[in-house]
Amino acid sequence: MNDQVLLTEEQEGISILTLNRPEVMNAFNFELLRALKEEINRLRFNTDIRVIIITGAGEKAFSAGADLKERRTLSDIQVKEYIYTIRNLFTSIEQLNKPVIAAVNGIALGGGTELALACDIRIVSTDATMGQTETRLAIIPGAGGTQRLPRLVGKGKAKELIFTGRRIGAEEALNIGLANKICEPDQLLAECRQMAAMICEAGPIAVEQAKYAINYGLETDLHTGLAIESNAYWVTIPTEDRLEALAAFREKRKPVFKGK
Ligand code: COA
């Protein structure tokens, strides 16, 4: 893991990943993409970690998206490689077997907003600015923005935001459903940790299966979605955790889940 560009902290089942290039507003260069990819792949099989929080170093930015200084130096084929890498990375975050919370602590433009979109939940600082600004650079969102933004906020609003490249503040992000909630900058991480801690109280296999059913079920018709939900439910039935929850209820105590 490259601790120059990505900081990691693990505590009580929660991993906090901090994009650490504050001098360029945590913009993504190849090095940061590779470091994040390596860490996400590692976390997938780390059963001690139940929830991941992603945020940006410094007080100004979550991420200003693609590193435009690096971009200037890339050939056309290298730009293709970059887009392929960032799109697959964000998809692997969306498909991770545990919840990911974006702690949007400031500027989140282009790929910054796309990273937040690939996370399951977005908690946004009141001083944050979000936006898919790519068309202003004569390109389009290439890390999922044209697909995930309309799925979250609706086709019309997504088209408005992508065609104009307009930046929006936290209030508007909340109003259109881009942000789950907003909070003061100094409360942001505490708020995310609190939500993560609450998720940690739930059954890990149940949370994983719920994420799976929502993600895949939403991409199909209702009846296929219900079949996906049904199969996901079946996975929880033979688990020790399910029996533990019933025993804890009977004994009027908190359950202790093992993810088994
Ligand atoms: N890539 C590389 N460097 C970036 C960057 C990016 N996406 N965004 C910001 N930076 C760098 C700036 O070049 C500057 O470095 P410098 O001092 O060496 O010139 C530093 O970060 C601070 O940015 P600056 O522009 O001085 O701060 P600001 O508060 O005035 O504006 C932004 C911040 C993010 C609004 C502005 O930099 C911006 O519009 N960046 C581009 C964002 C974007 O369009 N992203 C989508 C890419 S597809």
Side-chain angles (χ1 to χ4, degrees), residues 220-238:
T220 182
D221 62 280
L222 178 64
H223 290 289
T224 311
L226 291 172
I228 291 170
E229 179 188 84
S230 170
N231 274 346
Y233 196 119
W234 287 183
V235 174
T236 67
I237 294 178

Side-chain angles (χ1 to χ4, degrees), residues 4 57 81 96-97 100 103 156 162 166 190 194 239 245:
Q4 295 296 307
E81 184 188 351
L96 198 62
N97 55 350
V100 186
I162 290 172
R166 182 165 66 83
Q194 203 179 345
T239 63

Side-chain angles (χ1 to χ4, degrees), residues 75-87:
S75 65
D76 287 3
I77 193 72
Q78 286 171 319
V79 174
K80 281 190 178 172
E81 184 188 351
Y82 178 97
I83 297 300
Y84 176 86
T85 306
I86 192 169
R87 181 185 295 123

Side-chain angles (χ1 to χ4, degrees), residues 23-25 27 64 66-69 107 109-110 133-134 137 167:
E23 68 286 358
V24 288
M25 304 265 173
D67 186 327
L68 298 175
K69 293 174 186 171
I107 297 277
L109 295 176
T133 49
E134 289 89 344
L137 295 164
R167 300 169 184 188

Side-chain angles (χ1 to χ4, degrees), residues 50-83:
R50 303 254 179 103
V51 182
I52 293 145
I53 297 172
I54 303 181
T55 193
E59 286 168 4
K60 286 192 173 163
F62 176 67
S63 170
D67 186 327
L68 298 175
K69 293 174 186 171
E70 181 188 65
R71 179 65 57 90
R72 252 196 341 256
T73 69
L74 303 182
S75 65
D76 287 3
I77 193 72
Q78 286 171 319
V79 174
K80 281 190 178 172
E81 184 188 351
Y82 178 97
I83 297 300

